[in-house]
Amino acid sequence: MDLSAISPTLLIASLMVAATPLLLAAIGELVVEKAGVLNLGVEGMMIVGAVCGFAVSVETGSPYLGILAAMAGGAILSMLFAFLTQFALANQVASGLALTLFGLGLSALMGQSYVGVKPPVMGKVDIPVLSDLPFVGHILFGHDIVLYMGLGLTAAVWAVLKYTRAGLVLRAVGENHEAAHALGYHVVRVRILAILFGGACAGLGGAYISLIRVPQWTEGMTAGIGWIALALVVFASWKPWRVLLGAYLFGGINVLQLNLQAAGIAIPVEYLAMSPYLITIIVLVILSADKSAAPASLGRPFHASN
Amino acid sequence: MNTPLLSIQGLTKAYPGVVANDDVSFDIAEGEVHALLGENGAGKSTLVKMIYGLVKPDSGTMTWQGNAFAPAEPRAARGSGVAMVFQHFSLFDALNVAENVALGMENPPPMRDLAKRIKDVSENYGLPLDPDRTVGDLSAGERQRVEIIRCLLQDPKLLIMDEPTSVLTPQEVEILFQTLRKLKSEGTSILYISHKLEEIRTLCDHATILRLGKNVGECVPAQTSARDMAEMMVGDTLQTPTRTAQDGGEVVLQVDDLSAASGNPFGTSLKNISFSVSAGEILGLGGVAGNGQDELLAALSGELLTAATAVTIRGDAVGNLGPNQRRGIGTLAAPEERLGHAAAPNMSLVENALLTGAIRQDLTKKGFVNWKGATEFADQIISEFDVRTPGSDRAARALSGGNLQKFVIGREVLQDPEVLIVNQPTWGVDAAAAAAIRQSLMDLAAKGAAIVVISQDLDELMEISDRFGALNEGRLSELRPTSGLTIDEIGLMMGGSHGMHVAGEETVEQEASA
């Protein structure tokens, strides 16, 4: 066992990379749930985003077009969910599960000819001076653009929900859709927009795995990150900064345990493998002990019939 | 005469199978308090939703200060100066007062200015409110203040109030009326919807009466008796329930120092409740909603288990028995929420009859259901309680609220209980059906049952109960004979005015003496 082989700079830098797909998917789902919709199709939207982003990057040679395509792919798939739940008034849980299964199948089909292909590499953001700082420079600067988008998105979602009228209306719709409707707000419109946003975020998260983190395409490569994102939103009590904390914690412990495995620590691999889940849940449960505040209309269908 | 503020001409709105409004016309003058009277289902709510832009009329026109008025959505109506206080509050529990107010405004100022304006306006009208409090923690009266302040901040020309007093104590009602009179003196018109006739007689200048969607008459409330107005509403002479006075029988239900935590995180815990009910007696329990009514019913029906000795029936400790065991010894209950609590919405009336009647009506044998017997029982309820439905095979949710309520009460009454606990037995039920339900409760008492009626309708409790008590924050006031109780005394038993004060006067905390 050689713990000195674990470099803290590398560890922190790679935990940020490991956490980003989870953060993106969870922050999107947070907005969806704040609007009162429970979309269990995050995993499906992620994997479709992953394959769309991968395919478009390979075909066009531009990872940035791929990123856009991934967001579009996730959003388009989420439109199916929006149609089922907001117009056909289908059960949200069943529709979400169907979306995940459909997305996994569809992505496998779409990605058949891309197995084993290498995608174009996305350049790192290189900020002169800052990136060259010792330690901090390597950790905080010199990542790819999507990673910063994830952080920016978290801040933006927090600020919009807390300070803007749009955020207030979104929360109102999720809290009491009948009252929001009575006051003249368009419940279904707000929810569809939230679902599309969630789909785009999940797609982006998926593409981050296939284009940057791994980078290659294999079937089912999101490997349950979408489900963890769903759980993370709940354990984070629907608060954006706690989602960030949870995602980084999860990513961090995941990276750490992989490093520990590589260093040959005398703990069975199974325990190490389960540790990210356990520790993230424990920390967030302790944090959420104050007051769990699920949006009151979460998962309830709305129809303006009276 | 001046141009009316709002003139309604021939408004008609039909839904599949029912005409909600049929050629309704009336005028509201500036600075007038106009009452809209009618039974449940008379079309009052649809009418005001058309004025507020939530529903589009099929035909008919409205004019606002002489100009055509057809709001496409609430935003447009608010822009013209229409504001509305909803019957079921359009508030968001998890948001604070200022955020709730902002959501009801077209162009809310920044939060800090808004908070200050809320403070100013609320002090000015005698409705103190803290803008930073979370609405979920407020009492019903305080919640209504939020709605009213939300309207007042928009300087409305027409304020629509849909059944505003149903959740208030008598003192709070009086303060609300002072606020409304102050508004009226400032030139605001008020459209006041209610079926409480005495309130309308004290407050309103003019009344329009709706029945089955049609405008069936107008009157000046101050010059018309409540009975005449009621008969215009119903279109029939009213049967007043009658009963013969009972001498005190032996004590059947005894509640002794009952304390229980609520099963609901936002519920009210019961605190040291003691009372007894004798055979043939009706005990009426009033109080503003959310003061422990649901919890008390749950504790008496067996849904909420307590210490065994806290509830005794004919001397047997039953506090730790579940609902079915209590049904076995003749203790039945009908909770407030008809759909989902008293009846399973998607199950047929036969199945619903079976669910609570299985034990006392002997409808199961060795675990097998006696469907023939259950159907007969359901049909018996339907015929004896005049439940209007095509058949007992219909799902409970297909019945109108009043009909389902008759079914739910009838189901328990026909099982011949020794103890019956009902919560809001006539809530949302039209006057004729309400009278029938009250009569059935009194007949049951005359046969020797001990009955506890929990209700927010004080007139109902005064009419049918022998003794009255009020629940306030999970505690029970002392019990007093109904005859001779004044409305002021009742109000104090219910907890006074919860810190409201009359518009324009110094803050005087009216202490709850109960």
Side-chain angles (χ1 to χ4, degrees):
Chain A
M1 185 169 96
D2 181 15
L3 284 177
S4 64
I6 302 175
S7 142
T9 9
L10 217 58
L11 189 74
I12 299 177
S14 56
L15 87 80
M16 291 173 77
V17 173
T20 297
L22 177 59
L23 175 65
L24 285 166
I27 214 78
E29 179 66 12
L30 181 137
V31 170
V32 178
E33 294 194 13
K34 272 287 187 188
V37 179
L38 182 65
N39 185 353
L40 295 184
V42 181
E43 179 82 4
M45 300 184 298
M46 280 186 94
I47 191 90
V48 165
V51 75
C52 287
F54 192 88
V56 170
S57 307
V58 169
E59 298 302 334
T60 64
S62 161
Y64 299 102
L65 282 179
I67 291 288
L68 287 178
M71 290 164 68
I76 288 169
L77 190 64
S78 73
M79 272 165 74
L80 177 66
F81 177 82
F83 172 76
L84 286 174
T85 57
Q86 302 304 305
F87 291 109
L89 300 181
N91 179 293
Q92 294 183 2
V93 171
S95 305
L97 291 174
L99 201 69
T100 288
L101 295 174
F102 176 65
L104 287 169
L106 182 70
S107 65
L109 180 70
M110 289 166 69
Q112 267 175 347
S113 53
Y114 294 100
V115 179
V117 179
K118 268 205 101 48
V121 178
M122 180 179 282
K124 306 242 180 229
V125 179
D126 192 26
I127 311 161
V129 190
L130 286 181
S131 303
D132 301 329
L133 289 174
F135 192 71
V136 187
H138 192 81
I139 293 174
L140 294 181
F141 310 101
H143 285 292
D144 54 89
I145 182 99
V146 182
L147 189 145
Y148 299 116
M149 277 171 69
L151 292 172
L153 212 55
T154 309
V157 164
W158 168 77
V160 167
L161 286 177
K162 192 167 165 70
Y163 294 114
T164 69
R165 183 152 177 88
L168 181 59
V169 171
L170 183 103
R171 283 188 287 145
V173 165
E175 192 56 40
N176 184 345
H177 51 216
E178 271 129 19
H181 174 69
L183 290 175
Y185 295 105
H186 302 278
V187 174
V188 171
R189 187 188 299 168
V190 169
R191 287 190 169 166
I192 288 175
L193 289 175
I195 292 169
L196 290 180
F197 177 80
C201 285
L204 183 60
Y208 194 85
I209 302 176
S210 67
L211 288 176
I212 297 163
R213 192 175 165 202
V214 176
Q216 60 169 6
W217 166 253
T218 43
E219 253 181 58
M221 70 183 303
T222 47
I225 296 283
W227 295 113
I228 296 164
L230 275 165
L232 185 60
V233 173
V234 177
F235 286 120
S237 307
W238 294 269
K239 293 190 168 84
W241 294 117
R242 286 198 193 164
V243 167
L244 180 73
L245 173 76
Y248 273 37
L249 195 66
F250 183 83
I253 296 166
N254 213 357
V255 169
L256 182 67
Q257 64 96 2
L258 287 173
N259 276 296
L260 288 175
Q261 279 187 40
I265 196 169
I267 300 174
V269 175
E270 289 80 4
Y271 288 109
L272 286 175
M274 74 168 80
S275 60
Y277 301 89
L278 267 181
I279 294 171
T280 308
I281 287 176
I282 290 169
V283 169
L284 291 174
V285 163
I286 293 169
L287 278 181
S288 64
D290 51 354
K291 205 176 182 183
S292 154
S297 290
L298 184 59
R300 284 170 46 210
F302 171 76
H303 186 247
S305 54
N306 39 12
Chain B
M1 199 178 142
N2 296 335
T3 322
L5 176 72
L6 177 69
S7 173
I8 289 172
Q9 296 299 331
L11 274 194
T12 299
K13 175 73 193 176
Y15 290 110
V18 55
V19 181
N21 283 134
D22 189 359
D23 198 21
V24 176
S25 307
F26 63 90
D27 290 345
I28 302 172
E30 306 232 0
E32 176 191 56
V33 183
H34 195 108
L36 197 54
L37 262 171
E39 297 273 89
N40 289 295
K44 296 168 300 190
S45 292
T46 307
L47 187 66
V48 295
K49 279 180 183 168
M50 288 195 276
I51 300 174
Y52 196 59
L54 276 168
V55 173
K56 278 197 190 62
D58 295 337
S59 65
T61 56
M62 293 183 274
T63 52
W64 178 266
Q65 294 175 323
N67 303 314
F69 179 64
E73 53 175 358
R75 217 169 287 250
R78 283 201 292 263
S80 305
V82 181
M84 180 155 165
V85 175
F86 292 86
Q87 179 181 8
H88 302 289
F89 298 137
S90 57
L91 295 178
F92 305 91
D93 283 357
L95 307 184
N96 70 28
V97 170
E99 287 173 328
N100 268 283
V101 171
L103 278 168
M105 294 177 75
E106 252 357 275
N107 294 301
M111 276 299 170
R112 203 170 307 144
D113 301 349
L114 183 62
K116 194 179 167 328
R117 283 189 60 193
I118 291 172
K119 272 218 160 82
D120 292 348
V121 173
S122 67
E123 290 299 326
N124 193 14
Y125 284 93
L127 309 163
L129 263 184
D130 177 357
D132 295 325
R133 280 185 68 191
T134 304
V135 165
D137 299 334
L138 301 181
S139 73
E142 288 172 313
R143 286 160 159 255
Q144 191 179 50
R145 278 181 240 177
V146 180
E147 290 249 10
I148 294 174
I149 301 276
R150 175 152 81 184
C151 293
L152 295 185
L153 279 176
Q154 302 177 77
D155 295 322
K157 299 193 182 70
L158 174 66
L159 179 63
I160 303 172
M161 304 203 80
D162 194 353
E163 308 243 352
T165 59
S166 52
V167 293
L168 302 182
T169 65
Q171 276 81 0
E172 286 173 329
V173 170
E174 190 44 46
I175 289 158
L176 173 69
F177 282 8
Q178 303 271 10
T179 306
L180 295 183
R181 289 197 186 101
K182 183 171 156 90
L183 276 172
K184 177 189 148 145
S185 70
E186 291 166 359
T188 310
S189 304
I190 295 165
L191 181 59
Y192 190 90
I193 301 169
S194 182
H195 57 234
K196 294 191 179 169
L197 302 166
E198 285 305 330
E199 282 177 5
I200 285 173
R201 293 192 63 221
T202 50
L203 183 71
C204 300
D205 305 315
H206 207 94
T208 297
I209 295 151
L210 295 182
R211 183 167 74 237
L212 299 175
K214 289 195 180 70
N215 184 345
V216 294
E218 296 186 12
C219 64
V220 176
Q223 297 162 10
T224 314
S225 76
R227 191 174 179 86
D228 287 348
M229 285 196 281
E231 289 181 356
M232 279 163 96
M233 270 161 64
V234 183
D236 200 355
T237 29
L238 269 183
Q239 298 290 335
T240 313
T242 52
R243 71 179 297 216
T244 42
Q246 290 284 325
D247 288 332
E250 58 166 323
V251 170
V252 180
L253 171 67
Q254 172 88 43
V255 175
D256 193 19
D257 200 22
L258 168 68
S259 295
S262 172
N264 173 351
F266 291 110
T268 308
S269 299
L270 300 175
K271 300 171 191 98
N272 312 101
I273 290 183
S274 300
F275 63 87
S276 64
V277 190
S278 310
E281 184 186 33
I282 300 180
L283 173 66
L285 297 181
V288 177
N291 273 301
Q293 284 92 339
D294 294 344
E295 289 77 10
L296 181 61
L297 181 120
L300 294 179
S301 70
E303 277 178 73
L304 186 67
L305 297 182
T306 58
T309 52
V311 182
T312 53
I313 289 171
R314 294 198 187 283
D316 297 330
V318 299
N320 57 349
L321 300 185
N324 272 335
Q325 289 163 296
R326 293 199 200 183
R327 285 184 187 125
I329 56 170
T331 303
L332 305 180
E336 170 182 6
E337 179 65 39
R338 292 186 278 262
L339 276 180
H341 196 176
N346 290 323
M347 295 176 86
S348 72
L349 295 179
V350 173
E351 288 166 321
N352 272 298
L354 180 73
L355 282 175
T356 75
I359 293 169
R360 277 185 82 74
Q361 298 299 109
D362 222 3
L363 296 176
T364 56
K365 197 168 272 175
K366 294 185 179 140
F368 287 94
V369 172
N370 172 4
W371 285 115
K372 190 164 164 286
T375 309
E376 282 166 7
F377 180 47
D379 288 337
Q380 186 196 355
I381 300 167
I382 289 169
S383 67
E384 290 195 21
F385 277 77
D386 188 27
V387 180
R388 312 255 166 92
T389 170
S392 55
D393 56 341
R394 295 300 156 119
R397 93 186 116 70
L399 268 64
S400 74
N403 274 312
L404 185 58
Q405 187 68 33
K406 286 194 272 186
F407 183 84
V408 168
I409 299 285
R411 178 180 68 183
E412 307 306 328
V413 168
L414 286 181
Q415 291 181 46
D416 239 344
E418 290 179 31
V419 178
L420 178 65
I421 302 105
V422 293
N423 190 3
Q424 296 275 66
T426 60
W427 180 68
V429 175
D430 65 58
I437 288 174
R438 287 174 197 148
Q439 186 65 59
S440 73
L441 291 175
M442 290 194 268
D443 292 346
L444 185 67
K447 282 198 270 177
I451 302 180
V452 179
V453 178
I454 304 170
S455 177
Q456 266 131 63
D457 185 342
L458 289 175
D459 296 335
E460 168 171 281
L461 293 177
M462 290 304 106
E463 183 180 315
I464 67 173
S465 54
D466 301 300
R467 281 186 301 155
F468 175 84
L471 283 165
N472 186 18
E473 292 175 354
R475 291 192 178 80
L476 183 62
S477 70
E478 77 175 300
L479 299 181
R480 303 182 49 178
T482 316
S483 54
L485 265 186
T486 67
I487 206 80
D488 279 336
E489 289 170 328
I490 292 171
L492 289 173
M493 289 167 83
M494 286 166 69
S497 60
H498 294 115
M500 289 171 100
H501 61 92
V502 173
E505 289 179 10
E506 291 295 307
T507 309
V508 183
E509 290 279 323
Q510 275 168 299
E511 287 299 323
S513 69

